[in-house]
Amino acid sequence: MPRSLAPDQRSRIHVLDVDTGEDRVVHECAEVLYEAPNWSLDGAALILNGDGHLFRLGVEGGTPVRLDLGDLAPLNNDHVLDPDGVHVYVSAEDGHIHRAPLAGGATVRITQNEGRLHFLHGVSPDGGTLLYTGVQRNADGSWLPPDLFAIPATGGESVQLTDDEFPDDGPEHSPDGTWIYFNSERARTVPGHAQLFRMRPDGTGAEQLTADERVNWFPHLSPDGERLAHISFPPGTEGHPADLPVILRLSAPDGTGLRDLVHLDGGQGTLNVNSWAPDSRRLAYVDYPIGE
């Protein structure tokens, strides 16, 4: 089921200038829990999900306008724009990835494996490959740790990129296609202690980028490849839950030069997908304050 706001809670959509620190709330809502903003390729609008649907919101504010995706199953907060600027790839509650026209209309299902849940996170710079987190059940019915997969954007056989006992998540290509950035517990000191990594597109050459006491998720490179943003949870967090005091952080692509951008109330939904503007200077995110 789509997430909803708690009593007296609001979802606030922000646009942050990471150079000047200017942070504008472009929309605030007490009825719909909006999540995970993408930017349109022209930088004029944000694409968000809420109540199981996708919405378009102008970056100067206004009212989000729902996109008509037909009878597609309710969506979660994993959606990424196709580099063609005309389509968007989405993950739905049927466990599959679909391609949908931003102007509305018929959708196409990409994934076919019925024994796996597919959570989309990235599309290659040339638009030919999708990256997703795959979760499937063990023989005893329990869930196995998530692994990372690649699949042709037109559908077909998936290629498994990670296969270990630790949860891996949030895979995303670098803008030049030479790296896949992701978060993983493979270096954990306690359960849930995720850090940021990158590896080559074939799953080899993994490098650890962060190693601190906080729990780090969802690395997103700016379009120019010069900056890396991620969301940082309090020590001891397991997974990427909602409604925690979290920090948006910025670093160089190799994890050096780490600094805090914003402290906020959020987590799940705040920065699940790449939320960089085409200018590589502005970052969109969502927070969820309660009360005044």
Side-chain angles (χ1 to χ4, degrees):
M1 293 292 292
R3 295 200 306 131
S4 58
L5 294 167
D8 206 24
Q9 188 175 36
R10 310 180 308 284
S11 56
R12 300 192 305 185
I13 304 161
H14 295 247
V15 171
L16 170 69
D17 187 314
V18 300
D19 289 331
T20 67
E22 179 189 14
D23 192 345
R24 296 187 297 114
V25 175
V26 296
H27 185 74
E28 183 170 350
C29 185
E31 290 78 38
V32 178
L33 192 154
Y34 290 109
E35 302 178 284
N38 298 137
W39 289 72
S40 61
L41 297 191
D42 61 5
L46 301 173
I47 305 298
L48 311 103
N49 67 282
D51 280 348
H53 305 287
L54 281 189
F55 295 82
R56 182 192 298 270
L57 172 69
V59 296
E60 298 305 321
T63 301
V65 176
R66 178 178 158 183
L67 304 183
D68 181 7
L69 303 184
D71 58 358
L72 190 63
L75 308 180
N76 61 29
N77 54 29
D78 300 317
H79 45 83
V80 180
L81 266 66
D82 190 322
D84 70 4
V86 178
H87 296 85
V88 60
Y89 292 98
V90 298
S91 295
E93 290 192 355
D94 61 1
H96 289 284
I97 296 170
H98 305 258
R99 187 177 190 234
L102 285 168
T107 62
V108 177
R109 180 169 141 180
I110 304 300
T111 52
Q112 303 299 326
N113 189 316
E114 298 297 342
R116 181 183 301 149
L117 300 180
H118 308 76
F119 299 99
L120 173 71
H121 282 281
V123 57
S124 61
D126 65 4
T129 303
L130 304 181
L131 297 175
Y132 69 87
T133 301
V135 186
Q136 51 199 49
R137 291 189 185 275
N138 210 336
D140 62 5
S142 61
W143 290 106
L144 291 166
D147 279 307
L148 308 183
F149 296 80
I151 187 172
T154 54
E157 292 296 319
S158 293
V159 175
Q160 188 164 352
L161 301 176
T162 65
D163 185 8
D164 55 55
E165 61 185 293
F166 303 109
D168 303 312
D169 211 327
E172 186 176 296
H173 288 96
S174 60
D176 62 5
T178 61
W179 293 100
I180 293 174
Y181 283 74
F182 64 104
N183 56 267
S184 174
E185 293 184 32
R186 61 184 59 193
R188 71 187 186 188
T189 54
V190 295
H193 193 198
Q195 296 295 309
L196 304 187
F197 292 79
R198 64 182 179 184
M199 62 184 174
R200 294 302 181 181
D202 62 358
T204 63
E207 300 178 358
Q208 186 170 349
L209 304 179
T210 61
D212 57 63
E213 75 285 356
R214 297 187 63 84
V215 176
N216 299 313
W217 274 74
F218 297 137
H220 303 304
L221 274 173
S222 56
D224 63 7
E226 297 297 319
R227 315 188 208 219
L228 179 66
H230 73 275
I231 185 168
S232 183
F233 290 84
T237 304
E238 294 192 32
H240 53 293
D243 302 331
L244 288 177
V246 298
I247 307 172
L248 297 189
R249 287 181 153 179
L250 191 70
S251 70
D254 62 0
T256 59
L258 185 66
R259 67 182 177 93
D260 294 355
L261 288 174
V262 183
H263 292 242
L264 61 117
D265 297 319
Q268 174 73 296
T270 291
L271 200 74
N272 291 55
V273 298
N274 194 309
S275 299
W276 281 102
D279 62 14
S280 296
R281 175 171 175 168
R282 292 170 294 165
L283 189 67
Y285 70 93
V286 189
D287 69 349
Y288 305 97
I290 295 178
E292 296 300 325

